[in-house]
Amino acid sequence: MSVLEVDNLTKTFGGLVAVDDFSLEVDEGEIVGLIGPNGSGKSTVFNCIMGLYDVTDGEIRFNGVDITSDSTHQIVAKGLSRVSQESNPIDLYSVSENIRLFTLPNSIRSLHGGASDEEIREYAARIDIEDKLHEMPSELPHADVRRLEIAKSLATEPELMLLDEPFAGMNQAEIGELAAQIERFREDGMTMVVVDHNMGGLMELVDRVVVLNNGDFLAAGTPAEIAADDAVQEAYLAGEGLQ
Amino acid sequence: MISTILLLGTVCSTVTGRLGRVAGTLRRQVLWPVGRTLERLLAPIDRVLDPVADGYNRSLGPYFGEMSGLQFGVIAVSVAGLLTAGYWAPMVGPLLGGGLLRTLALASIWAIFAMSWDIQSGYTGYISFGHSALSGAAGYTTALLIVHVDPTLSIWVTGSVSVLAALVVGLLIALPTLRLEGPYFSLITFVAVLLFYRLTTAFSSLGGIPGFGQPDVFTWDPMLRYYYMAIPMLLIALALTFMARSNLGMILIAIRENEPAVSAAGLNPTKFKLWSFMLSSVPMGIGGVLLVGFTGNVDPSTFVVVDNSIEMIAIAVIGGMSSILGPLGGAFLFEVLNHQVLHGYSTPVRYLFLWLIVLFVLVFARDGLFRAIWHRLGAVRGESE
C-alpha cells in the first residue's frame, strides 16, 4: 500500500518551473532514493510535501488523505517528518531539550506534557547520541549535529521520514555508520525517502531510486538500473558525475 | 570627502579600540576582584540556604524554575521586602528624596507592563512597539464607563470590562499581524499605538488632550495605595513565571530562535504566538486599571503615548528580556532612579540619563542586569547554572 503519493506535482516560482508534473509513490517499509543534479528540484519536492511551499498544481496524499494544502505542523501530526538539509538546532537548548521540544503536544493547555527523560534517551539512543544529551548543540561535531536533527525527527514518531541530504559533510566512516542506523529504522518499520545529489551513500541503502532532472521525472529503478541508465549518465555529465 | 571619512573612521576605531582596552582593564582590575571577593563572602550563605532551596526545588522547582541557595535567598528577601515596604519605605524614603512609597507603587504598575510585554515580545521575539495601546484601552474603557454609563459602577465591573477591552484590542492587533514575518509585526503595533493616540486626542468625546478627570483614585492613603498596586503585581509575576517556566515558555523561545523548527516539531506557531499575545493583554489591562486608580486621570500622555510603549521595552531590556523577573527588577530600578535618585533634575535630564543607561545595557550587558546578577548568584560556588 502506498504511504505517500505525489500526483502530477508542479511548482513554479514566478516564471521558473522548479518542479514540472512530477509523480512519486512510496510504499510502506520502503527506502526510496530521490536523486538528481544540484538544482533539479529535489528539495522543492520535499518543501511541497511538508507544506512549506504552496503547491502550484497537483496533489499530495499521505495514507490516502489529501495533505496538499495542510500546514507543516498538521502534516507532522499526521506522521510525516523531515530531516532538513540545514542543521538548525536551538542553540540555547541542550541536546535533550532540543529533542524534548519535538515531543511537546500542540496544545496551549498542556503546560507540563511531553516526553520523559527516559523517552528522550530512547530517541537519542536510536541514533547513538544518548551520551550527548546534556551537551549544547554548539559543542557537538558536525556529524552529531546531523544526528540530533534525525533524533528530533524521530521524536515526532513519524511513519514516513524524509531525509534531505543526510550524508552531507560527513566522512566515509560517518556515512557508513549513518547508513547502518537508517537501515535499522527500516527494520523497525519506518518508511523513508532519502534525497541526495549523488548515489554514493545511497547505493547500498535504498530499494528504489527516482531521478529528477530540471524539475522533471527522468528515470526510476533499482540502484543498479539507475547506475547503468544512459539518460541519467547524460544528465549528470554537466555536473560531478554519478558516483 | 573620502579623506574626511577615512579620518573619521580612523579616529572612531582608535577611540573604540582605546575604550575597549579601558573596559578590559576595568574588568580585570576592578570588576573581577570585586566579583571574587563577593563570591567568597556569599558562598557560605549559599551553602546555608541550600537545604531550603533543595526543598523548594523538589516541590515547586519544576513549576517555577530551580534555584540555588543564594538565588532562593534573594527572591525570599525581595518578596519580603516588597510585602513589608508599606512599613519601611516611609522611614527610608526621606533619605532618597521622599515619596518612596509612591515610587514603589508606580514601579509595581510598570513592572506589570514590562512583564506583560516580556511574555509576548521578549519570549517570541515579535517585538511590540504598541503595548501602551492595550493598557490605554483598559484605562479609556474605565473612564468611558464612568463618564458615559454610570459614575457609581463598582471597580469590579469597570475593571473586568476594561481588562476585556484590552484583550479585544490585543486580539485586533494580533490576529491579522502575527502571521506576518520580519519587521511588519513591529511596524503595525507601532502604527496601532500612533493611531490610538490620534484617536484619543482628535475627539472630545474621547476626552481630547486633557482626557478624563472623573475616575477617582483608589485611595489617598499612600500605604494602602502601594499594596493595591504591589499585590496584583506579585500575583501576575507568579502567574507569568509559572507560564514562562512551562512548555509554553519553551515553545515561545523556540519561536524566537527558529520558527520553522517549531512547525517541524508539529506545533502551530501562530496559535502559540496568539496565545502569548492574549496572555500579555490581560495583565496589560489589569495594569491599565491600576494606573487609573493611581493617577485618577485618563489622558493620552499618561496612557497611550508611544513613549510609554518604548519605556516598557527599556525596562525589560535593563532587567533582562525573556525572564519575567528581570523586567520586574528593571521596573523598580528604572522608577527608583527616575523618581528618587535623580529627583533633583528636570524630566528631560532624568530621561537623558535613563536612556543612556538603556544604551549602556544594550551594548555591554545585552542579557540584562538582573539576569547577569541572577546567573552570578547561581554560580558563587563555582558551578555554573
Side-chain angles (χ1 to χ4, degrees):
Chain A
M1 184 205 148
S2 289
V3 180
L4 178 71
E5 296 157 90
V6 177
D7 278 347
N8 310 107
L9 177 72
T10 300
K11 174 65 192 171
T12 60
F13 296 100
L16 178 81
V17 183
V19 178
D20 189 9
D21 203 20
F22 174 73
S23 296
L24 172 75
E25 270 192 36
V26 182
D27 289 338
E28 201 176 327
E30 250 193 326
I31 304 185
V32 175
L34 182 61
I35 70 162
N38 281 326
S40 56
K42 307 172 304 275
S43 291
T44 308
V45 171
F46 271 13
N47 284 335
C48 288
I49 296 174
M50 291 310 293
L52 291 169
Y53 291 159
D54 291 331
V55 171
T56 310
D57 202 11
E59 196 178 278
I60 300 163
R61 285 185 300 279
F62 182 63
N63 281 332
V65 180
D66 185 4
I67 56 163
T68 320
S69 47
D70 280 7
S71 308
T72 307
H73 67 93
Q74 292 168 317
I75 294 167
V76 173
K78 288 192 169 96
L80 239 164
S81 174
R82 180 231 194 121
V83 178
S84 69
Q85 206 174 331
E86 307 85 36
S87 303
N88 45 16
I90 291 171
D91 291 328
L92 292 175
Y93 294 158
S94 66
V95 168
S96 154
E97 286 169 317
N98 264 290
I99 298 174
R100 202 172 96 79
L101 178 70
F102 278 65
T103 70
L104 298 183
N106 180 27
S107 159
I108 51 172
R109 283 191 299 274
S110 159
L111 291 174
H112 296 96
S116 66
D117 289 347
E118 192 43 49
E119 286 164 324
I120 291 170
R121 173 169 291 277
E122 278 168 26
Y123 290 126
R126 285 174 72 183
I127 192 81
D128 298 326
I129 50 166
E130 72 275 21
D131 50 349
K132 308 274 169 75
L133 282 173
H134 299 294
E135 289 184 32
M136 300 307 277
S138 56
E139 298 165 350
L140 296 178
H142 172 77
D144 283 342
V145 178
R146 299 297 303 156
R147 289 195 182 97
L148 170 59
E149 291 300 310
I150 296 176
K152 281 156 60 179
S153 179
L154 289 172
T156 65
E157 295 284 350
E159 236 177 278
L160 169 63
M161 205 151 79
L162 307 176
L163 294 129
D164 202 349
E165 306 229 7
F167 304 111
M170 289 193 173
N171 62 36
Q172 276 308 320
E174 290 164 341
I175 289 176
E177 215 174 300
L178 183 58
Q181 282 156 341
I182 293 175
E183 188 63 46
R184 283 212 304 267
F185 299 158
R186 190 231 303 264
E187 284 158 20
D188 295 341
M190 180 94 72
T191 311
M192 278 168 283
V193 181
V194 186
V195 148
D196 219 318
H197 62 272
N198 64 55
M199 281 182 53
L202 295 187
M203 276 303 258
E204 306 282 302
L205 187 66
V206 299
D207 304 305
R208 204 151 58 81
V209 179
V210 175
V211 188
L212 257 176
N213 188 35
N214 291 329
D216 263 330
F217 171 87
L218 184 68
T222 63
E225 284 164 5
I226 292 300
D229 191 299
D230 287 341
V232 177
Q233 291 288 359
E234 201 179 320
Y236 271 95
L237 272 182
E240 59 269 62
L242 204 60
Q243 290 163 12
Chain B
M1 182 66 189
I2 292 174
S3 60
T4 320
I5 294 174
L6 279 176
L7 181 70
L8 270 177
T10 319
V11 170
C12 283
S13 62
T14 318
V15 169
T16 46
R18 192 156 294 168
L19 267 181
R21 273 196 298 279
V22 171
T25 318
L26 192 73
R27 221 179 353 244
R28 275 191 305 277
Q29 307 281 336
V30 184
L31 289 180
W32 286 355
V34 170
R36 273 195 295 273
T37 315
L38 273 177
E39 277 176 11
R40 263 199 295 277
L41 290 174
L42 291 173
I45 305 177
D46 191 40
R47 206 167 295 129
V48 169
L49 290 171
D50 244 4
V52 197
D54 276 347
Y56 158 84
N57 287 339
R58 272 195 301 275
S59 51
L60 295 171
Y63 302 102
F64 295 96
E66 299 203 344
M67 294 185 226
S68 71
L70 204 56
Q71 288 171 332
F72 184 82
V74 166
I75 291 289
V77 169
S78 304
V79 172
L82 285 170
L83 287 176
T84 53
Y87 300 93
W88 59 259
M91 288 182 271
V92 182
L95 303 174
L96 287 163
L100 184 58
L101 258 187
R102 180 186 180 279
T103 302
L104 294 180
L106 197 59
S108 299
I109 297 173
W110 279 94
I112 294 176
F113 291 157
M115 290 188 289
S116 310
W117 179 88
D118 196 34
I119 193 74
Q120 187 274 319
S121 297
Y123 274 82
T124 66
Y126 279 73
I127 304 292
S128 161
F129 287 115
H131 255 53
S132 58
L134 304 173
S135 47
Y140 269 82
T141 306
T142 297
L144 289 171
L145 283 172
I146 288 172
V147 172
H148 293 299
V149 181
D150 181 359
T152 61
L153 278 175
S154 120
I155 171 74
W156 298 108
V157 176
T158 56
S160 314
V161 178
S162 301
V163 171
L164 201 65
L167 186 61
V168 170
V169 170
L171 283 175
L172 279 177
I173 296 175
L175 274 174
T177 52
L178 280 172
R179 282 170 205 277
L180 302 174
E181 284 176 14
Y184 292 102
F185 172 78
S186 298
L187 284 173
I188 287 173
T189 55
F190 194 58
V191 173
V193 72
L194 293 178
L195 206 71
F196 194 3
Y197 178 72
R198 291 299 166 196
L199 196 72
T200 53
T201 50
F203 299 101
S204 54
S205 57
L206 287 173
I209 289 170
F212 299 103
Q214 288 91 332
D216 213 351
V217 293
F218 290 159
T219 170
W220 289 107
D221 173 6
M223 191 200 277
L224 205 55
R225 177 176 68 184
Y226 166 72
Y227 285 110
Y228 278 146
M229 311 303 159
I231 303 287
M233 185 276 289
L234 287 172
L235 293 175
I236 288 170
L238 199 66
L240 289 181
T241 304
F242 174 74
M243 287 293 184
R245 303 290 180 270
S246 73
N247 287 347
L248 180 73
M250 185 180 199
I251 294 169
L252 296 182
I253 287 182
I255 287 174
R256 182 185 74 202
E257 296 296 312
N258 187 345
E259 196 167 334
V262 174
S263 297
L267 304 163
N268 180 1
T270 308
K271 177 165 81 179
F272 285 96
K273 283 187 281 181
L274 198 62
W275 177 230
S276 83
F277 212 100
M278 291 168 69
L279 212 55
S280 175
S281 302
V282 170
M284 280 306 293
I286 297 174
V289 169
L290 295 179
L291 192 56
V292 179
F294 183 83
T295 61
N297 200 59
V298 177
D299 60 86
S301 71
T302 314
F303 275 83
V304 194
V305 63
V306 71
D307 304 43
N308 282 3
S309 295
I310 308 296
E311 215 166 297
M312 287 167 207
I313 303 177
I315 287 171
V317 166
I318 289 180
M321 285 193 281
S322 63
S323 63
I324 301 296
L325 296 183
L328 192 164
F332 280 84
L333 179 66
F334 195 91
E335 297 302 326
V336 167
L337 280 175
N338 191 0
H339 297 289
Q340 304 295 149
V341 179
L342 300 171
H343 77 282
Y345 299 94
S346 68
T347 308
V349 174
R350 289 196 325 245
Y351 273 91
L352 193 66
F353 185 72
L354 289 167
W355 290 120
L356 277 173
I357 292 180
V358 174
L359 195 63
F360 179 85
V361 170
L362 276 173
V363 175
F364 293 106
R366 213 165 300 156
D367 288 336
L369 291 178
F370 287 92
R371 178 182 277 127
I373 293 172
W374 184 254
H375 285 189
R376 281 308 284 267
L377 288 175
V380 285
R381 281 190 287 157
E383 75 272 39
S384 70
E385 261 203 323

